[in-house]
Amino acid sequence: AQSVSQHNHHVILSEAASLELGCNYSYGGTVNLFWYVQYPGQHLQLLLKYFSGDPLVKGIKGFEAEFIKSKFSFNLRKPSVQWSDTAEYFCAVFRGSNYQLIWGAGTKLIIKP
Amino acid sequence: DTEVTQTPKHLVMGMTNKKSLKCEQHMGHRAMYWYKQKAKKPPELMFVYSYEKLSINESVPSRFSPECPNSSLLNLHLHALQPEDSALYLCASSQDFPGGGNEQFFGPGTRLTVL
């Protein structure tokens, strides 16, 4: 089945640790890729997006993601996390064929101070 | 103004009640969305309006009735809901639809509890 997979449902890190959250999708063809974040008690907001061009995209708050077409992946990274990065992170893929944003299950990130 | 506002923040209703959720954006976006989000799950698309016309209805039960009175407003009318409909209801907007998957701006949601 066509899907978006986020491999880790829960990640716990200490402050200053490096972060990588995995996202894989199973669609062929052209896709647009997104990472959204939902901080506790706050609304979903866009971290970064990839439509075309440089496969390494930079987003807000020091996050970046790399699109690897051959691996159908769009992993999110941050070199040094902060306690304030504690949140739920969602990867999403837009396919033009069904005009829908398909969401991964989310990764709950907890940063220990 | 990059804000999507939703009212009310919280709503508790009985199974026989009729209530409405409201959403507003002033970014000039022409697409608006309703999502349902259960705890620890991603948002599930319910409806998409594009230029004030319903473009997508994801087989949502008729007890949920969307309405788009103008390009800035989106309502969700609720009637005869079930306890399993309790969830966070999110409104979002984007520049247009499908637009290649433009960024969607989300509101804070309405936390609905059906007793």
Side-chain angles (χ1 to χ4, degrees):
Chain A
Q2 296 172 331
S3 66
V4 178
S5 299
Q6 291 183 241
H7 314 297
N8 307 103
H9 294 297
H10 291 89
V11 173
I12 301 174
L13 293 173
S14 298
E15 276 195 312
S18 65
L19 170 72
E20 181 160 2
L21 301 183
C23 174
N24 285 88
Y25 60 94
S26 59
Y27 310 105
T30 302
V31 292
N32 295 331
L33 302 161
F34 303 82
W35 275 98
Y36 280 86
V37 62
Q38 194 167 28
Y39 296 103
Q42 294 191 30
H43 59 275
L44 274 163
Q45 56 186 286
L46 184 71
L47 268 180
L48 46 78
K49 62 186 178 186
Y50 173 80
F51 281 16
S52 64
D54 188 344
L56 184 63
V57 293
K58 294 195 183 301
I60 61 171
K61 306 190 180 191
F63 286 90
E64 64 178 31
E66 185 175 12
F67 170 54
I68 304 179
K69 189 174 181 178
S70 61
K71 294 186 178 181
F72 297 89
S73 71
F74 189 55
N75 292 354
L76 181 71
R77 300 196 292 247
K78 185 169 184 179
S80 176
V81 294
Q82 301 171 304
W83 177 78
S84 57
D85 293 323
T86 293
E88 187 99 28
Y89 292 80
F90 293 98
C91 177
V93 176
F94 182 84
R95 287 194 76 212
S97 60
N98 65 355
Y99 300 150
Q100 284 204 36
L101 201 56
I102 309 300
W103 297 78
T107 296
K108 186 172 178 64
L109 175 65
I110 297 173
I111 307 299
K112 298 184 293 184
Chain B
D1 183 3
T2 57
E3 196 176 272
V4 175
T5 59
Q6 290 186 244
T7 56
K9 284 189 168 50
H10 301 274
L11 179 63
V12 179
M13 59 186 291
M15 289 190 283
T16 58
N17 293 157
K18 284 186 183 181
K19 297 285 184 183
S20 296
L21 309 184
K22 297 186 184 304
C23 173
E24 192 166 3
Q25 57 88 14
H26 294 289
M27 294 178 276
H29 289 170
R30 303 316 300 263
M32 296 185 77
Y33 309 74
W34 280 116
Y35 286 89
K36 174 182 177 180
Q37 187 179 25
K38 290 279 205 180
K40 303 185 191 305
K41 298 288 187 185
E44 298 172 40
L45 183 65
M46 299 174 72
F47 303 103
V48 181
Y49 273 83
S50 176
Y51 289 84
E52 299 156 51
K53 294 196 185 324
L54 186 63
S55 292
I56 289 183
N57 175 342
E58 282 294 300
S59 302
V60 179
S62 59
R63 58 186 184 268
F64 295 91
S65 175
E67 179 196 18
C68 190
N70 61 55
S71 59
S72 300
L73 292 173
L74 186 66
N75 298 322
L76 186 63
H77 303 297
L78 314 173
H79 174 54
L81 294 193
Q82 304 296 310
E84 59 265 28
D85 295 322
S86 299
L88 183 68
Y89 287 84
L90 298 170
C91 175
S93 71
S94 66
Q95 191 170 357
D96 55 26
F97 178 84
N102 289 320
E103 174 186 355
Q104 293 183 24
F105 291 78
F106 285 83
T110 293
R111 176 75 60 189
L112 174 68
T113 302
V114 181
L115 301 177

